[in-house]
Structures are given as structure tokens and as C-alpha cells.
Amino acid sequence: MSLRKYVWPVIGLAAVVFSIWLLYRELRGLSLNDMIASFRAIPLHHWLLSGASTLLAYAALAGYDRIALLHLRRKVPWLFITVASFTTYALSHNVGASVLSGAVVRYRAYTSRGLTGQEVGVLVAFCSFTFMLGTILLGGIVLVFEPTIVERFVDVLPLDASRTTGFVLLGLVALYVIGSMLGFRTLSFGKLELSYPRPRVVLQQLVIGPLELLAAAGIIYFALPEAGNPGYFVVLGIFLVSFSAALVSHAPGGLGVLELVFITGLPDMNQADVLAALVVFRLFYLLIPFVIALVVILLFERSQFSVEEQ
């Protein structure tokens, strides 16, 4: 266990170093003046739209926790859910190994509201699955209606194979919905029981999961210029690939990984403009929430310490 504790941080650090090295090779022709010019070119209303997209994304993330609690049939005040979810994701998105780091925050928060450790474990798994479901659903839609997007990353797959993959992904989502409607039986793993979500819960997953990803992609889309912009739908597809790669890499904040994949996916756009849009994304979606989350954690722990003293 002591060895396993260091495996993911080492993998994440290696991913950061390697990605930054590749990114440096890709962007070594850029200058600071290019970046400053790209930031200045972003209109004020686009800054505001990126900010609004951030608020929508974090509101949807709070929906992840709410849906999981609905599945568990546990009632927790909506304000507490919102703050706990915001803190969890703001921290885990920056630290890396999001499932593990998010589980620690959620355990500390929700056990204070009466949930058991087993229930918190189900909640964490359910939130992760909701994200995965949203990614599969949107990924399937993008591949069906914009199969040429794979050519931005690889050129060895025929378009028919790309569209077929999209239909397969949508088919998996359909099977999940059918399973909910038929009421598949509960699965037992020792003391842990996983019951199939009710149709009401699944319907909310199919709305909230994609909504968070649509809003997060919007942060970058609104910060990009019109010149060479392939449109929101393509930007969404590139975001799904880059954000998923960043999560899989376990790199803290997906540093370097997100940028490398995104710039690779937009070869026709000015690199300084793309990098500036990604900096806006990091500022709104990662850095500002991270600072606020640290303050929330300190205040929460202080309040818990006061309660324990009494």
C-alpha cells in the first residue's frame, strides 16, 4: 500500500514533464507579445460569456452530487451540496487523481451530515459514472454528426468507422436507459450493494452530465477568436478528448496534457490565440475556484474543530 500511494503522483508528474516538453517544442516560436495581443483581442462580452459558462458548469457539478444523493435516498440541504461539490471539484481538478482526492473531501463533508462511509463511496462512484455517461453521450453525438473530427488527431481511421463508433457509444447509453426502465436487480459485492438507478435518476444524469461538459467547453469557445474557429461543435469534441486525456494522465490540473491535445486538435488556428483561450479556461475553471475552495475548507475545518471542542 505504501508503494501504491506514490504510483499515481509519480505518473502524474511524469505526464506533466513529458507534456510540457512536447508543448515547448510545439510553441517555441511564440513570444510574450503574441500572448498579450491574444488576450487583448478577446472582447469584454466574451470574457463575460466565459464567466457565465463557468458558473453553469459548477452548478451542473453540484447536480452530480444531488443526483447521487437522490439515488441513495438521502436528504441534504441544497446549499451544503453546492458548497461541498464546488469544493470537491475545485480541489480535485487541480490536484489530480480526481476520484481519490475528491473522495477525501466528500467523506469529510457528507459524514458530518450523517452519511456512512459506504454511502459516501457509492456517492463518489455515482458522480464519476455520471461524468463518464455524459462524456460517452456527447462523444457519441459528436462522432455521429462530425466524424471528421478524428482526423485532427489521427488519420488512419476511415470516417465510417468513426461514425460507427459514435453509434456504438449511443447504443451503450440506450442500454443503460433500458436497464433502468426494466429495473435490473441489485448487484452485491460483499457488504457493498449497487442498485440500478431509477428512471427518474437516469433522466437527470442524461441532462446534468452533458450540461457540465457543454458549459466547460463553452469557456474555451467564447475565448477563441472567430478567425479559423471551426465552431462550437468541433471545439466541444476536441475538449472531450483533451479533458479526458488530462484526467487519465493524473497530471495535476492536466497541466501540459490539456494544452498539448487542444493545440494539436486546432492546427488551423493561431497557436497564441488557442493558448490564451486555454489560460482563460484555467483561470476561470481551475485557479479561481481552487483559491475559493481552500478558503471554504479552512472555514469548514475550523467550524468542525469548534463543534468537537464543545
Side-chain angles (χ1 to χ4, degrees):
M1 290 299 295
S2 59
L3 176 62
R4 203 176 287 176
K5 183 172 63 175
Y6 297 103
V7 169
W8 292 120
V10 170
I11 291 175
L13 181 61
V16 169
V17 173
F18 183 64
S19 298
I20 289 178
W21 176 70
L22 291 177
L23 196 61
Y24 168 76
R25 293 187 60 187
E26 185 77 16
L27 304 176
R28 54 190 170 188
L30 289 183
S31 67
L32 181 59
N33 290 334
D34 294 331
M35 287 295 299
I36 293 175
S38 294
F39 278 117
R40 287 178 175 174
I42 301 175
L44 176 60
H45 68 282
H46 280 204
W47 282 95
L48 294 176
L49 287 171
S50 290
S53 297
T54 305
L55 294 176
L56 180 58
Y58 272 95
L61 286 172
Y64 282 24
D65 285 45
R66 181 184 172 280
I67 295 170
L69 290 166
L70 181 64
H71 174 64
L72 290 167
R73 302 179 190 272
R74 296 299 298 263
K75 291 186 177 180
V76 176
W78 68 268
L79 181 59
F80 186 89
I81 295 173
T82 301
V83 175
S85 172
F86 171 82
T87 306
T88 296
Y89 285 108
L91 185 67
S92 62
H93 285 162
N94 284 277
V95 172
S98 57
V99 174
L100 298 177
S101 56
V104 174
V105 178
R106 281 195 174 102
Y107 180 83
R108 183 64 173 155
Y110 287 114
T111 53
S112 72
R113 291 289 171 163
L115 271 71
T116 65
Q118 180 177 323
E119 287 176 324
V120 174
V122 173
L123 185 146
V124 171
F126 201 85
C127 288
S128 297
F129 182 77
T130 299
F131 167 79
M132 183 175 67
L133 184 66
T135 303
I136 292 174
L137 177 57
L138 288 179
I141 293 173
V142 170
L143 287 175
V144 168
F145 292 99
E146 194 68 45
T148 57
I149 196 169
V150 297
E151 295 179 346
R152 294 175 177 271
F153 301 100
V154 293
D155 56 1
V156 296
L157 295 176
L159 297 186
D160 288 343
S162 177
R163 185 174 278 114
T164 300
T165 302
F167 280 119
V168 170
L169 293 177
L170 294 178
L172 292 175
V173 175
L175 286 176
Y176 177 64
V177 174
I178 292 171
S180 172
M181 295 174 66
L182 295 178
F184 284 177
R185 65 184 181 85
T186 299
L187 298 177
S188 298
F189 301 93
K191 295 183 179 180
L192 179 64
E193 292 187 348
L194 298 177
S195 57
Y196 213 93
R198 307 182 300 281
R200 175 190 173 193
V201 175
V202 172
L203 178 61
Q204 293 187 43
Q205 283 183 295
L206 294 176
V207 174
I208 295 298
L211 181 61
E212 189 272 325
L213 293 165
L214 290 168
I219 302 172
I220 301 174
Y221 172 74
F222 289 121
L224 288 170
E226 293 184 6
N229 194 320
Y232 175 78
F233 206 56
V234 173
V235 171
L236 171 63
I238 296 171
F239 174 79
L240 292 175
V241 174
S242 59
F243 196 65
S244 298
L247 290 176
V248 170
S249 72
H250 292 282
L255 186 62
V257 181
L258 180 75
E259 288 79 3
L260 179 64
V261 178
F262 221 103
I263 289 173
T264 301
L266 289 173
D268 298 328
M269 293 197 71
N270 184 295
Q271 291 181 333
D273 292 338
V274 177
L275 192 58
L278 293 172
V279 171
V280 172
F281 174 78
R282 285 197 173 277
L283 179 66
F284 283 178
Y285 192 78
L286 299 176
L287 298 181
I288 293 176
F290 182 61
V291 172
I292 297 174
L294 291 179
V295 175
V296 171
I297 291 173
L298 290 174
L299 293 176
F300 176 78
E301 292 299 335
R302 180 182 177 184
S303 65
Q304 291 298 107
F305 180 73
S306 299
V307 170
E308 291 171 1
E309 274 194 330
Q310 295 174 0

